[in-house]
Amino acid sequence: MKILVCISKSPDTTAKIAFTDNNTKFATDGVQWIINPYDEWYALVRAIELKEKDASIAIHLVTVGSADAEPIIRKALALGGDEAIRVNVESHDSFYIASQIAAVAAAGSYDLIFTGKETIDYNGSSIGGMLAELLNMPYISLATKFDLNGTTATVSREIEGGEEVCEIALPVVVSCQKGVAEARIPNMRGIMAARTKPLKVVEPTAVEPLTSIVSFELPPAKAGVKLIPADNPAELVRLLHEEAKVI
Amino acid sequence: MSVLIFIDQSEGHIKKPSLEAICYGAKLAEKLGVNAEGLVLGSVTEDLADLGKYGVKKIYTISSPALEHMDAQVFTNAIAQAVQSSGAKVIIFANNVDGKAIAPRLSAKLKAGLVSGAIAIPDTSSGFVVKKNVFSGKAFANISLKTDIKIISLNPNSFPVVAGEGKAELIPLNISLEPGKVKVVAVNKVKGEIPLSEADKVVSGGRGLKGPENWGLVEDLAKALGAATACSRPVADSHWRPHHEHVGQTGLAIAPNLYIAIGISGAIQHLAGVNRSKVIVVINKDPEAPFFKAADYGIVGDAFEVVPKITEEVKKLKGTT
Ligand SMILES: Cc1cc2nc3c(=O)[nH]c(=O)nc-3n(C[C@H](O)[C@H](O)[C@H](O)COP(=O)(O)OP(=O)(O)OC[C@H]3O[C@@H](n4cnc5c(N)ncnc54)[C@H](O)[C@@H]3O)c2cc1C
Ligand SMILES: Nc1ncnc2c1ncn2[C@@H]1O[C@H](COP(=O)(O)O)[C@@H](O)[C@H]1O
């Protein structure tokens, strides 16, 4: 059994969001990079948990990104991947990235492909679905539980106001979110071992992106909070009704 | 050429984010000087012709046993065929759970550029540029679509639902569909609650509420307002509240008209999931709580004293208006 986990690099959740080059580029100065939380906490950790139950499982990691994604993929290896593949290219749009991952996936014939629910910078929530289509595989999005029984997976996915439990024969692409796995902290031994795990660098396949970013904007600053004395809740309700018109 | 809106349904009922998608699609169609058309997959109990009042002239319907449950692969195939027979050039989805599953697949299938999480009508003054949320609500990006067919999925609560006059003509499409590979074995819905992702008002509680036994405070206010309930991450992690109520960077991102945060400090990861709310009210006993910086209205005070009084005032207001 081979699992492919898609790992992306994202700015730390507390990073200051600012733009340069006439608002066309994210200002990366001083930004700490982390593994996109959904990819680490849910997709990767679930793959590791599955391997703990069945040692014959191999976990491969893939990232599409230039050399500066290397510390991120090494950290993911330290957490528990067996080997990693980096497609050596600055990432473009979702379709471009999905096409690169699809090429890696097709070459490796994986039984299971995990992505995170979304990247916390682009927030596309798109790559899993695109990848499934490119590979002609079924897709289960926003999974909250994932279990394997031989070559059948039982997956719970989010629906409006609840959950749906599905059964699906492998192979399948699954996007993972909260609930799928338990949290864990990488240990030193893992970090040492990661240095010797294989990290293969492959060149991108030729694909035309379908979209491009024209510019970024920051939201207008809030006018500032209007404070209401604690002993006058009626005033708050009046303001919400008459001024803000939300109740 | 037309704008085709995927109208999402669940158990025969049209979902609210789909009404927003219809109004958005109709507005875009008007701007492009083309017709807005809808597409419904599976059987619906509501009167579909009536959706004409939101601006769709025609609604294509496809019914097939294969469409009984949302299977991204099957739905994508069905929609792709409908796109072909309708000649649609722009396809609109709601960026809800179904939209997130289907729109990207359709994008890859049709090689049609996708903007997911759009929040405004495209700017067509030079090209076709759509504004979307990025960095978990902390910024916007303007995305250019150059492909012949374009796909937009609209963030919930980003576009108003306005009803006018009109009936839509229903056009059943006869297409053959292979059944999906995903078998649904159970559906567990939380009964009687307003789904958080669709809620127009949300009352949310944090660690300041001390324990699950105090959640009556949050629930009473939510009930008086007709609001859904939410919580911060540590609250869900401590099992005070169910996981599906967790909002923020790693939970659900929401954009209701009113978000009331009680006993929540306003950490940046929490704000990332709620900062698109139209009006934010913060109740916290610490005047230095960071949440006040992101709030529109605030009360510095003890939630245990303040919140029941607010609930009373809301009830009074509802009783007299
Ligand atoms: C990578 C990452 C991702 C994260 N994702 C999320 C996320 O998605 N969502 C999320 O919520 N958090 C997330 N967090 C956690 C976040 O950083 C905060 O720790 C969390 O939001 C704090 O929750 P809280 O405000 O409920 O609790 P606290 O920070 O403990 O705040 C409690 C507040 O209640 C107030 N209070 C206490 N008693 C009263 C009273 N009687 N009346 C009124 N006010 C009172 C206090 O003044 C305080 O401000 C994430 C963290 C990381 C590192
Ligand atoms: N550059 C990348 N390399 C590898 N995987 C990625 C990359 N970008 C996104 N992904 C995966 O796709 C998921 C969804 O990303 P997105 O569609 O951008 O929200 C992420 O959680 C990752 O698992």
Side-chain angles (χ1 to χ4, degrees):
Chain A
M1 166 94 49
K2 280 171 80 182
I3 307 178
L4 184 67
V5 183
C6 303
I7 299 286
S8 55
K9 128 179 178 283
S10 69
D12 172 42
T13 52
T14 56
K16 181 171 162 28
I17 308 303
F19 303 101
T20 59
D21 292 24
N22 213 2
N23 285 328
T24 56
K25 285 208 174 70
F26 175 54
T28 53
D29 277 3
V31 169
Q32 295 271 2
W33 296 94
I34 58 170
I35 308 175
N36 186 48
Y38 295 103
D39 309 356
E40 174 182 337
W41 301 353
Y42 307 124
L44 177 56
V45 172
R46 188 60 193 147
I48 295 167
E49 289 171 351
L50 292 170
K51 190 184 165 102
E52 282 166 357
K53 277 194 250 165
D54 175 358
S56 73
I57 290 177
I59 303 173
H60 290 191
L61 313 175
V62 60
T63 194
V64 179
S66 48
D68 56 10
E70 215 124 294
I72 294 303
I73 199 83
R74 284 275 175 217
K75 184 179 173 212
L77 281 171
L79 280 162
D82 294 307
E83 53 182 273
I85 301 148
R86 178 170 68 81
V87 182
N88 185 29
V89 63
E90 265 311 319
S91 40
H92 291 65
D93 77 339
S94 313
F95 178 74
Y96 183 91
I97 298 170
S99 303
Q100 301 305 331
I101 300 173
V104 169
S109 53
Y110 295 93
D111 304 284
L112 185 56
I113 301 177
F114 279 157
T115 73
K117 165 186 158 173
E118 65 179 27
T119 43
I120 63 168
D121 49 2
Y122 188 71
N123 304 126
S125 212
S126 307
I127 282 167
M130 290 179 174
L131 188 56
E133 184 63 30
L134 293 168
L135 296 169
N136 194 24
M137 283 187 193
Y139 176 48
I140 299 188
S141 57
L142 309 180
T144 53
K145 276 194 201 85
F146 182 95
D147 273 302
L148 269 182
N149 201 335
T151 55
T152 304
T154 304
V155 194
S156 298
R157 71 170 189 105
E158 178 191 329
I159 56 172
E160 267 103 2
E163 269 179 9
E164 190 172 83
V165 186
C166 314
E167 272 175 17
I168 175 79
L170 304 182
V172 61
V173 179
V174 177
S175 82
C176 302
Q177 62 166 335
K178 182 163 184 150
V180 158
E182 300 283 336
R184 70 174 61 201
I185 300 159
N187 62 29
M188 245 348 249
R189 212 179 56 210
I191 293 168
M192 301 303 277
R195 294 204 185 130
T196 57
K197 287 181 182 169
L199 196 171
K200 201 163 78 191
V201 178
V202 300
E203 291 307 315
T205 53
V207 180
E208 273 302 306
L210 304 178
T211 66
S212 59
I213 295 177
V214 179
S215 62
F216 291 102
E217 287 170 33
L218 290 172
K222 282 255 175 194
V225 59
K226 205 176 248 187
L227 287 178
I228 296 118
D231 58 5
N232 196 1
E235 175 63 3
L236 174 69
V237 173
R238 187 192 69 79
L239 286 168
L240 292 178
H241 182 58
E242 289 174 14
E243 186 179 82
K245 298 192 169 57
V246 286
I247 62 176
Chain B
M1 150 140 210
S2 64
V3 172
L4 183 69
I5 302 123
F6 171 67
I7 304 173
D8 197 14
Q9 54 118 349
S10 159
E11 293 168 349
H13 297 286
I14 304 300
K15 297 183 192 170
K16 179 177 167 246
S18 286
L19 300 184
E20 297 167 357
I22 298 173
C23 292
Y24 178 93
K27 181 87 188 170
L28 174 61
E30 190 188 306
K31 187 168 175 174
L32 299 174
V34 301
N35 276 343
E37 303 175 345
L39 171 65
V40 175
L41 304 186
S43 42
V44 172
T45 45
E46 286 165 28
D47 176 16
L48 287 178
D50 197 43
L51 294 177
K53 69 180 181 222
Y54 300 111
V56 270
K57 303 272 184 300
K58 291 180 188 168
I59 295 179
Y60 300 100
T61 60
I62 304 175
S63 51
S64 154
L67 298 171
E68 202 180 313
H69 284 284
M70 199 292 290
D71 178 314
Q73 205 164 15
V74 182
F75 271 48
T76 301
N77 287 340
I79 298 169
Q81 294 189 50
V83 168
Q84 209 174 28
S85 43
S86 69
K89 290 294 182 211
V90 185
I91 307 143
I92 311 291
F93 287 86
N95 193 32
N96 60 354
V97 281
D98 286 357
K100 283 179 184 171
I102 308 164
R105 276 203 91 115
L106 189 69
S107 163
K109 189 177 183 77
L110 302 178
K111 304 284 177 282
L114 163 69
V115 175
S116 63
I119 54 160
I121 289 285
D123 177 355
T124 51
S125 57
S126 81
F128 194 98
V129 177
V130 190
K131 187 183 282 198
K132 85 176 284 281
N133 268 298
V134 288
F135 293 100
S136 308
K138 287 175 251 174
F140 309 112
N142 294 303
I143 309 289
S144 163
L145 293 179
K146 294 213 176 71
T147 47
D148 179 37
I149 299 179
K150 302 167 177 71
I151 306 178
I152 301 173
S153 70
L154 175 71
N155 258 356
N157 286 329
S158 306
F159 201 80
V161 176
V162 180
E165 299 281 312
K167 289 272 172 204
E169 177 195 354
L170 301 186
I171 305 171
L173 293 180
N174 223 332
I175 66 170
S176 68
L177 287 172
E178 299 242 332
K181 298 187 188 116
V182 180
K183 197 173 118 208
V184 175
V185 292
V187 176
N188 308 321
K189 284 214 176 180
V190 192
K191 287 270 176 279
E193 280 180 36
I194 302 168
L196 193 49
S197 52
E198 294 183 16
D200 153 68
K201 303 181 195 76
V202 174
V203 182
S204 186
R207 213 146 47 177
L209 286 167
K210 310 283 187 286
E213 65 281 5
N214 298 326
W215 237 262
L217 215 67
V218 173
E219 283 168 335
D220 288 349
L221 178 56
K223 197 157 164 236
L225 286 167
T229 51
C231 66
S232 68
R233 182 172 139 215
V235 165
D237 283 352
S238 319
H239 304 292
W240 296 359
R241 298 297 291 174
H243 279 308
H244 66 254
E245 284 198 359
H246 157 200
V247 292
Q249 184 123 42
T250 45
L252 201 62
I254 54 173
N257 284 325
L258 174 63
Y259 183 75
I260 304 185
I262 305 171
I264 304 177
S265 57
I268 191 156
Q269 297 94 352
H270 183 85
L271 296 180
V274 303
N275 55 8
R276 292 187 296 110
S277 310
K278 253 182 217 115
V279 173
I280 295 179
V281 177
V282 169
I283 298 153
N284 197 305
K285 70 173 184 192
D286 174 10
E288 300 298 319
F291 220 145
F292 284 115
K293 290 206 181 68
D296 299 282
Y297 300 99
I299 292 186
V300 178
D302 183 347
F304 295 93
E305 286 168 26
V306 174
V307 176
K309 286 192 207 146
I310 300 175
T311 306
E312 280 317 305
E313 292 299 331
V314 170
K315 283 187 187 155
K316 261 195 235 165
L317 175 79
K318 297 265 157 145
T320 52
T321 50

